[in-house]
Amino acid sequence: MPLARPLDPVTLAVLKGRLEQIVDEMDATLYRSAFNPIIAEARDACHGLYHAETGATLVQGGKGLPIFVGAMAFAVKAVIDKVAEEAAAGRAVLAPGDVFLFNDPYLGGTHLNDMRLVQPLFRQGRLFCWLASVGHWLDIGGNVPGGFNARATESFQEGVRIPPVRLARAGVIDEDIVAILAANSRVPVSNRGDLAGQLNALDLGEKRLNALLDDYGEATITAAFDAFTARAEALMRDAVAALPDGTFSFEDFLDNDGIVDTPLRIALDLTVAGDRMTLDFSRSSPPCRGPLNIARSTAVACCYVALKHVFPDVPANAGCLAPIDFVIPETTLLGVSAPKPVGGYTETILRVIGVVFGALARAVPERATAGPFGTINALSLAGHRDDGSRFVMFSFYGGGLGGNPESDGLNHANNPISTATIPPVEILEAAYPVMFTQWALRPDSAGAGRHRGGLGAVYEIEVLAKDGADVFLLGERGRFAPFGVGGGLPAALNRFSWQTDDGEASPPLASKVTDVAIRQGRWVRLETPGGGGFGLPHERPPALVARDVRLGYVGREAARALYGVALTEAGEIDAAATAKLREGAEA
C-alpha cells in the first residue's frame, strides 16, 4: 500500500479534482443510461461519497441536484443505523457488494419518487466509505400517476414506502425486491432501467475510487477528506462572522395544503452570534392534512441549499453545516414523521429557501435577492397510448428568478433547489402522446424594480392520445406572489387552466388539481410566475424599460403604470411625459 503523502496545497488540489471527477462521472453514467426523461434530460439525480461511520458528506460533484446533496447524508446514516441494528441482532454482516435501497422520506429521503441506493466500499476487509446514488423515478404507485397527489392525507396515498433493505448481497441482486418494485409501478420498465443506471453508476464509482486509493493510499485520502471538511467549516464560520450580529425575521406563505383552503406560514428567525448562526422555524404553521409537509432532514437539506447560494465559495461537504444550529420542532409542518404526507415537498422547500434568502436580505440588504418564482409546478398527464401501453408524463417547469443588486433576474430559469434542466420539448413530444402548442416567455410576469425579475413562461400542451388523459398538478404561488425587495414589486401569480366543453376552467385551490380528464385534442395551459423585483421601479433607466417593451417583456401600460415611462407610438421614450410621471410618483 502506498505511504501517506504530505498534504501540501498542490496534492490537495489534485485530490479534490480527482474525487469530484469520480462523482461527476457517476452522475454522467446515470444521465446517459436512465430510461425516464426526468433523470436522463432534467438530471433529477445526485451521487456522492460519505463518511464510513457518520454518513457525513465527504465529496459531491458539480452536477447533482442540490437538494439531494443536503439530504443524502441523512440517507446514508439511515443505512449505517440499519447495518448496526442487524449486526447487533446477529441477522447479517455488511459485506463488499452489498447494496441498500430505500425511499423512506422520513429517514433521509425527500419524497417517495426519489429512490436511493447506498453501497459500502471496502479496502482490505475494512469499510472505508460509502457511495450513494439517488434518482427520481417516474411512478412508484399511489393514488396519482407520477406520485404528486395534491389530495393525499397520508403517505400511503402517495406510493409504496420502502425502508432501507438489501437490494444486493455480495453483488447478487435480490430479484424478489425488483419484482415488488415492478408490481407497484404503472411504468415498471422505466423504473427497472433507472435502477440499472444507478447500479452502474455505483459500480463505476467504486472502480474509480479504488484506483485513486491504489495510487495514493487510504491514509492520504482520509487526510484529504478531513482537510476538505475543516476548510468548509472554516470558510462558513468566516462567512457567518462577516454578517452583523442580531436576529432577522422573515416569513412567506404557501397557498394551501390541497385539502383545506387556508394559507400555511413558513416563518424564520435567523440569529447571528459571532461565527455561529441559528435558523429557528418554530413560528411556522403546524403539520397540515395535505402533502405540503416535510421531514426534518429535508428542512435541513434545503437550508443547506439556501446557504450555498448565499455563500457559493464554501465547499459542498458536511463541514459547512458545523456552525449552523437548526430549530425545527415536530409541532411544525417542517419536522413531521410518518405517515404524514410529504409528496409536495418541492413546494415547501422552495418557500423555506425563500425565507432564508429573505432573512439574510434583512441582515445584509446590499446582497439581497428578490423572491424566485418558487414552484416546480409538478404536472402529470397520464393515460394510454393508441397501442394500449400506459404512459405517465411527469415534468417540472421554469419561471423567473428574482432581481438582485447586480442585474435583472433570469428569464425562464429553474428553481434554486436545482441544477436540473427543464426537459426539452422535443424529448417530451417524442416520449409521450402530447404536442406543445405554446412554449414561450410570459409578458408582464416579472416583478418591477430597478432590476426587474426574470419572466415566467407559458406552456400549452395538447393531448394526442385517442382516449385522452388524466391531469394532475401540484403547484404553488397561485395566491402569494414571489416577493420583491428594496422597494421592488412582487411578480405575477401562477395560473393553470384547461379546456372543457364549456370553455376554460381553473382549479378552485389555485395551483392544485386532481382527477381532471381531458379529451383528445384538448389542451392544458400553465402560466408560471416571474421573479420579484429589486429596488424601486422608477429608478430603472427608461432606456431599459423601452427595450423591455420592444422585446415584449413588459406591456406599454405596465411601463407607464409601474415604471413611470411613457412611450411614443413608435416605441421611443417620451422624455417630457416620463419626467412628469416620475415626478408625480416621487411626490
Side-chain angles (χ1 to χ4, degrees):
M1 184 179 70
L3 297 174
R5 302 186 188 184
L7 290 181
D8 57 274
V10 173
T11 301
L12 274 176
V14 169
L15 291 178
K16 180 176 183 292
R18 286 193 62 175
L19 287 163
E20 290 177 351
Q21 175 61 30
I22 290 171
V23 181
D24 286 342
E25 198 171 350
M26 292 170 72
D27 286 338
T29 297
L30 178 57
Y31 300 152
R32 292 170 182 168
S33 59
F35 277 36
N36 99 71
I38 297 302
I39 296 177
E41 297 293 336
R43 301 185 173 184
D44 196 345
C46 177
H47 298 84
L49 309 178
Y50 302 87
H51 193 278
E53 297 174 0
T54 67
T57 304
L58 297 172
V59 178
Q60 293 287 162
K63 308 296 184 185
L65 205 69
I67 187 63
F68 290 159
V69 173
M72 282 301 288
F74 295 95
V76 176
K77 182 60 167 62
V79 170
I80 292 171
D81 292 343
K82 167 77 171 182
V83 170
E85 176 187 328
E86 289 183 337
R91 295 198 302 270
V93 176
L94 187 67
D98 287 358
V99 179
F100 292 82
L101 173 145
F102 78 108
N103 69 345
D104 191 325
Y106 315 99
L107 290 176
T110 36
H111 68 156
L112 295 175
N113 291 75
D114 296 333
M115 199 63 69
R116 287 162 163 76
L117 272 63
V118 179
Q119 175 179 315
L121 184 139
F122 282 84
R123 294 286 293 184
Q124 299 180 342
R126 183 179 67 87
L127 177 65
F128 181 76
C129 71
W130 297 88
L131 299 92
S133 170
V134 57
H136 180 110
W137 289 13
L138 268 184
D139 185 87
I140 35 70
N143 288 9
V144 168
F148 283 85
N149 183 0
R151 299 287 296 172
T153 56
E154 55 184 0
S155 64
F156 305 107
Q157 298 164 350
E158 297 178 318
V160 58
R161 176 178 156 215
I162 304 168
V165 295
R166 271 183 173 80
L167 174 67
R169 294 176 183 270
V172 179
I173 299 292
D174 188 333
E175 293 297 336
D176 288 342
I177 292 178
V178 177
I180 292 170
L181 293 171
N184 282 278
S185 174
R186 297 169 178 86
V187 287
V189 174
S190 175
N191 288 356
R192 182 60 192 259
D194 295 342
L195 174 61
Q198 289 182 260
L199 288 168
N200 287 338
L202 290 174
D203 182 62
L204 178 74
E206 182 179 37
K207 290 176 180 176
R208 295 288 189 265
L209 186 53
N210 272 323
L212 179 64
L213 288 163
D214 289 343
D215 287 345
Y216 283 85
E218 290 91 330
T220 297
I221 302 302
T222 298
F225 287 153
D226 293 342
F228 299 152
T229 301
R231 176 169 173 76
E233 178 177 347
L235 287 173
M236 182 60 83
R237 288 188 182 278
D238 287 346
V240 172
L243 301 173
D245 283 0
T247 297
F248 309 94
S249 299
F250 195 85
E251 63 182 39
D252 201 351
F253 292 85
L254 296 160
D255 296 337
N256 53 63
D257 69 354
I259 306 295
V260 180
D261 198 7
T262 301
L264 302 170
R265 175 186 288 107
I266 307 297
L268 170 63
D269 299 311
L270 183 153
T271 299
V272 177
D275 64 356
R276 295 201 64 84
M277 177 188 293
T278 299
L279 303 177
D280 186 346
F281 292 93
S282 300
R283 295 189 297 108
S284 299
S285 290
C288 58
R289 288 187 61 199
L292 275 294
N293 304 288
I294 60 176
R296 185 182 191 277
S297 58
T298 307
V300 171
C302 57
C303 292
Y304 161 87
V305 173
L307 293 171
K308 275 291 293 167
H309 275 286
V310 177
F311 307 119
D313 294 333
V314 179
N317 67 48
C320 67
L321 292 183
I324 314 298
D325 297 313
F326 298 93
V327 181
I328 307 171
E330 295 180 357
T331 53
T332 71
L333 79 167
L334 308 180
V336 303
S337 302
K340 281 289 186 182
V342 295
Y345 89 102
T346 51
E347 307 306 306
T348 306
I349 64 176
L350 287 170
R351 212 61 73 249
V352 172
I353 291 171
V355 299
V356 174
F357 288 167
L360 285 169
R362 291 182 173 172
V364 279
E366 65 277 9
R367 296 178 61 183
T369 297
F373 65 108
T375 175
I376 74 161
N377 276 315
L379 176 63
S380 297
L381 301 177
H384 293 84
R385 297 179 177 85
D386 292 351
D387 64 4
S389 62
R390 195 80 176 262
F391 76 89
V392 178
M393 177 188 136
F394 163 77
S395 188
F396 43 79
Y397 296 89
L401 299 187
N404 60 75
E406 302 297 328
S407 67
D408 296 340
L410 289 176
N411 296 332
H412 191 221
N414 217 325
N415 271 299
I417 59 170
S418 181
T419 52
T421 60
I422 303 161
V425 61
E426 296 86 355
I427 295 296
L428 295 175
E429 289 183 339
Y432 308 109
V434 302
M435 178 171 64
F436 281 78
T437 53
Q438 191 171 3
W439 182 302
L441 294 178
R442 181 186 178 189
D444 288 325
S445 59
R450 182 168 77 246
H451 294 149
R452 61 162 173 77
L455 271 69
V458 180
Y459 308 90
E460 190 172 275
I461 309 169
E462 180 183 337
V463 174
L464 302 181
K466 66 182 180 182
D467 293 332
D470 295 321
V471 180
F472 308 89
L473 175 72
L474 204 164
E476 270 290 330
R477 288 298 193 198
R479 291 183 178 155
F480 294 92
F483 59 85
V485 296
L489 299 184
L493 293 171
N494 201 22
R495 186 173 185 272
F496 183 69
S497 57
W498 63 93
Q499 193 176 18
T500 73
D501 292 340
D502 300 320
E504 185 177 308
S506 296
L509 291 179
S511 301
K512 297 178 180 67
V513 169
T514 56
D515 301 322
V516 167
I518 60 173
R519 298 205 309 264
Q520 183 184 35
R522 297 291 175 86
W523 51 255
V524 298
R525 183 187 299 123
L526 188 59
E527 300 170 63
T528 69
F534 176 92
L536 295 171
H538 283 203
E539 294 177 354
R540 186 169 180 80
L544 294 182
V545 178
R547 182 204 62 180
D548 288 345
V549 173
R550 287 196 302 274
L551 292 173
Y553 295 172
V554 176
R556 284 174 171 270
E557 289 304 314
R560 186 180 186 90
L562 301 180
Y563 290 98
V565 174
L567 301 174
T568 66
E569 287 299 319
E572 300 298 325
I573 300 168
D574 184 330
T578 295
K580 185 175 180 181
L581 286 171
R582 292 196 162 186
E583 287 170 6
E586 292 172 0

